[in-house]
Amino acid sequence: MSELLSQLWTPEVQTAFTVVVVLLVILYIISIVWVVRDAYLRGTHWYLWGVVALIPVIGIIAYCMLRPPMLQIDRDEQELEVALKQRQLMQYGECATCGYPVEADYVLCPNCHTQLKNLCTTCNHALEPAWTVCPYCATPVAAQGARRRAPRASQRSQTPRTHNSRTEAAE
């Protein structure tokens, strides 16, 4: 048996075996370094994952299965995007009559045509309802009279609609 083993265990096979073992050890060390670095970037307890990664093969498989799905920088960016969207939505208000979203500079609700702000009779700037003087031209707002309303439904129905005229032409 030893004779057979000595014939198979040549210096070339011994060198190849040594190279393979060295490469496996290097791969093992690199995988531990990768686990620790990746866990750190994902914002988890990197030192605990480093200890788990010391278990050959099973530790790396466990980390790959249980690691957080996003990097910490990606989570921070996602939180900033959500905060930006919320801030953009806060620029809009709601119509007090119908609840339709309206921008801060709207004078009239585009949905129910309720007047949201007064217009200055002198300079035609939009005025907040609580203002008593136009800040643009110093015209008193109280002199403008009562608050203007949107056109009534009877006045709106007098305007021709293209949809109705098409259906009437079809009849």
Side-chain angles (χ1 to χ4, degrees):
M1 177 79 168
S2 66
E3 203 175 288
L4 180 63
L5 187 61
S6 66
Q7 287 177 353
L8 292 175
W9 194 253
T10 62
E12 293 84 15
V13 172
Q14 187 177 2
T15 305
F17 181 76
T18 305
V19 168
V20 168
V21 168
V22 167
L23 289 176
L24 287 175
V25 168
I26 290 172
L27 181 66
Y28 174 67
I29 293 171
I30 289 174
S31 66
I32 293 171
V33 170
W34 175 79
V35 166
V36 168
R37 183 178 177 276
D38 191 63
Y40 179 78
L41 290 175
R42 291 179 188 272
T44 61
H45 301 290
W46 59 271
Y47 45 87
L48 292 176
W49 283 114
V51 171
V52 170
L54 289 174
I55 303 169
V57 181
I58 296 171
I60 295 168
I61 292 172
Y63 176 73
C64 288
M65 290 175 63
L66 299 174
R67 70 183 183 163
M70 295 177 66
L71 295 176
Q72 182 68 37
I73 193 166
D74 293 336
R75 280 198 305 262
D76 293 344
E77 184 178 346
Q78 188 178 37
E79 289 173 7
L80 284 174
E81 286 177 6
V82 168
L84 177 65
K85 294 290 183 189
Q86 287 175 344
R87 193 167 187 193
Q88 288 173 344
L89 286 174
M90 287 174 44
Q91 289 179 350
Y92 295 96
E94 287 184 351
C95 174
T97 306
C98 68
Y100 190 80
V102 293
E103 292 186 18
D105 58 345
Y106 281 8
V107 176
L108 189 71
C109 174
N111 187 42
C112 68
H113 305 284
T114 300
Q115 186 168 354
L116 303 172
K117 296 183 179 182
N118 296 325
L119 287 177
C120 177
T121 55
T122 308
C123 65
N124 286 329
H125 276 93
L127 304 174
E128 294 291 329
W131 291 352
T132 57
V133 174
C134 175
Y136 304 103
C137 67
T139 304
V141 175
Q144 294 181 19
R147 194 176 184 190
R148 287 184 240 151
R149 293 280 175 199
R152 292 193 173 92
S154 60
Q155 293 173 341
R156 281 184 276 171
S157 63
Q158 293 173 357
T159 59
R161 295 184 182 178
T162 57
H163 181 68
N164 289 344
S165 58
R166 285 184 193 157
T167 56
E168 290 171 4
E171 292 175 0

